[in-house]
Amino acid sequence: MGDRPKRLAMVASKGTLDMAYPPLILATTAASMGWETGIFFTFYGLDILHKERIKHLQVSPIGNPAMPPPVPAIPALKVPNLLGVLPGMTAMATMMMQGWMAKAKMPTVQEMLDLCVDADVKLFACATTMGVMGIKQADLIPAAQCAGATTFLDFAGDASVSLFI
């Protein structure tokens, strides 16, 4: 790769609060290191670029074996999937994570996305999935680039690091 900067290419396919952070953290970090960085948002990952849906990302306790208990006094227990289906559990899990992030002084997902935009991270919105899910370019943040798989693969083909998150 010679004198070219390193390049990070990621695919973000999940649109939950807990899955929005990893690609955004990695992207801002790589960009701060001078790497060319691009994220291909597909399927529910498009919610991270969606002007309205980003405001309502949630954490699901169902199927998440690492989900800690809502009561810290019983740390050895994890939230069983059965409890995850109870009304209000998704809202509670979301509030718990938002609380952890605030306590750790982490930026919100929106703030992380803004940092990506400021750092010139390429935000590829999967054109095919947009069509499948009825999402229009106008629904997405202005920095999102509607792109086909070939556009992203062209970018990823020269990547030093490629990740599917």
Side-chain angles (χ1 to χ4, degrees):
M1 296 203 3
D3 292 338
R4 286 187 54 205
K6 288 188 177 182
R7 181 179 278 188
L8 172 61
M10 290 182 282
V11 175
S13 64
K14 295 175 179 63
T16 59
L17 182 62
D18 53 329
M19 293 306 294
Y21 275 99
L24 300 177
I25 290 170
L26 289 167
T28 55
T29 302
S32 74
M33 295 169 60
W35 292 24
E36 292 180 71
T37 306
I39 309 171
F40 187 72
F41 295 87
T42 188
F43 289 95
Y44 298 112
L46 287 167
D47 287 356
I48 299 166
L49 297 178
H50 196 283
K51 292 175 191 173
E52 292 302 317
R53 294 179 188 169
I54 191 172
K55 300 173 189 175
H56 307 288
L57 300 182
Q58 298 182 345
V59 176
S60 176
I62 299 172
N64 189 348
M67 189 75 209
V71 181
I74 48 174
L77 300 177
K78 299 292 181 188
V79 175
N81 280 334
L82 183 61
L83 291 180
V85 300
L86 294 175
M89 287 300 286
T90 297
M92 184 175 68
T94 300
M95 287 185 350
M96 282 174 50
M97 182 166 186
Q98 288 170 334
W100 296 332
M101 299 311 255
K103 184 177 178 183
K105 298 186 181 353
M106 283 292 297
T108 65
V109 172
Q110 181 64 63
E111 291 167 338
M112 292 295 298
L113 188 58
D114 292 343
L115 290 171
C116 284
V117 171
D118 291 344
D120 294 323
V121 171
K122 290 176 177 44
L123 305 173
F124 301 102
C126 176
T128 301
T129 309
M130 286 174 64
V132 168
M133 301 183 87
I135 297 173
K136 307 278 187 260
Q137 178 71 45
D139 298 330
L140 304 178
I141 64 168
Q145 170 191 351
C146 179
T150 55
T151 300
F152 177 70
L153 288 173
D154 186 52
F155 177 86
D158 290 327
S160 310
V161 177
S162 299
L163 302 170
F164 186 90
I165 299 177

